[in-house]
Amino acid sequence: MISAEAIAKTPFFRGLPREQLELLAEIAIPRSYRRGEMIFTEGEEGKGFYLVLGGQVEIFKLSPEGKKQILHILGKGEPFGEVTVFAGVPFPAHAKAITRAEVAFFPKDSFIKLIKDHPQLPLNMLALLSQRLREFTSLIENLSLKEVSSRLATYLLYLSERGQGADEVTFEVPKGEVASLLGTIPETFSRALGRLVALGLIESEGQRIRIRDREGLRNLAIFGKI
């Protein structure tokens, strides 16, 4: 059983009254996935949405040629598959556990009934969906207009901001997965990483990155040069 306390810690439902958190906990179904296990596939009927309680999940699409494009890498407290609840459409992408993942599944019918009874419930969800839309807009801009070094600079700044401005960030998934997220191949990603090190913008040690010149990194992300 999933506790109201666990749900209260997530951005999706933070700030809700205890009574509503308990109602959400009552309909939440715990599920576990092995590393590499598919959670759902693109085009599959959406019977509810998910919330990551532990581990990591990637959302991705495949081209007709089989090329993979990662859209999101999600961690604890982040929801996914929620568009099917509001839009009534099949899942628009694939979801896979990239580590062992513990999730809460919220059945669509039960959740819609809660919304009807408590209309303030969706407000946090709408705010997060708006944030996702901004992220997609940024992703499209990065993939179509920016060189790989600029995409990498943007992603490092994003990781830093998610860590409340920390100068040291960690790639939470293998670099090959980060390369896919940035729309490139591992070899090109490695060259871009080496370029940022050579420019004195960062230090790189394995999965850990230390930002040495935040302003230069920001200029590269926005203008393509420092």
Side-chain angles (χ1 to χ4, degrees):
M1 182 175 176
I2 297 168
S3 69
E5 288 75 14
I7 294 175
K9 293 177 182 177
T10 66
F12 230 18
F13 300 122
R14 187 175 295 144
L16 290 179
R18 175 76 187 189
E19 175 191 0
Q20 293 178 19
L21 292 170
E22 290 177 349
L23 290 172
L24 285 165
E26 287 178 8
I27 68 169
I29 301 171
R31 291 185 177 176
S32 297
Y33 296 90
R34 301 182 306 275
R35 178 181 179 181
E37 185 176 359
M38 295 297 296
I39 299 173
F40 56 74
T41 58
E42 182 176 357
E44 184 180 326
E45 180 185 358
K47 297 182 178 180
F49 73 97
Y50 301 78
L51 186 68
V52 182
L53 299 178
Q56 292 179 312
V57 171
E58 68 176 10
I59 309 299
F60 65 96
K61 292 182 76 71
L62 293 173
S63 73
E65 297 77 27
K67 182 180 178 182
K68 178 180 178 181
Q69 173 61 58
I70 298 178
L71 304 177
H72 295 291
I73 295 175
L74 306 174
K76 186 175 181 179
E78 296 186 277
F80 60 101
E82 67 277 7
V83 68
T84 63
V85 172
F86 292 104
V89 296
F91 289 118
H94 305 279
K96 181 179 76 173
I98 50 178
T99 66
R100 179 173 178 80
E102 305 294 332
V103 306
F105 174 70
F106 294 88
K108 178 179 178 179
D109 293 343
S110 300
F111 186 74
I112 288 177
K113 183 178 185 305
L114 273 185
I115 287 177
K116 289 178 178 178
D117 294 339
H118 305 276
Q120 66 272 42
L121 258 176
L123 293 180
N124 281 358
M125 298 183 75
L126 290 174
L128 195 141
L129 288 172
S130 297
Q131 178 184 335
R132 287 270 176 87
L133 180 59
R134 290 194 298 271
E135 289 176 1
F136 272 121
T137 302
S138 177
L139 175 65
I140 292 169
E141 178 185 356
N142 281 337
L143 294 178
S144 59
L145 300 177
K146 293 183 178 180
E147 294 184 352
V148 175
S149 295
S150 296
R151 299 178 210 169
L152 176 56
T154 301
Y155 184 61
L156 291 174
L157 290 170
Y158 162 74
L159 290 178
S160 174
E161 290 166 6
R162 196 170 71 173
Q164 299 181 336
D167 285 335
E168 186 170 299
V169 300
T170 301
F171 292 134
E172 298 173 337
V173 293
K175 290 179 180 177
E177 296 287 331
V178 180
S180 177
L181 178 64
L182 298 180
T184 189
I185 60 177
E187 292 80 6
T188 305
F189 172 80
S190 294
R191 287 196 293 270
L193 190 64
R195 183 186 176 210
L196 268 59
V197 172
L199 289 170
L201 301 178
I202 64 170
E203 294 176 357
S204 175
E205 183 181 348
Q207 295 288 97
R208 291 181 297 178
I209 304 293
R210 175 170 288 279
I211 297 174
R212 294 181 57 194
D213 182 354
R214 185 176 295 272
E215 189 61 28
L217 202 62
R218 185 174 289 109
N219 287 336
L220 182 60
I222 297 173
F223 304 112
K225 58 184 180 181
I226 60 174

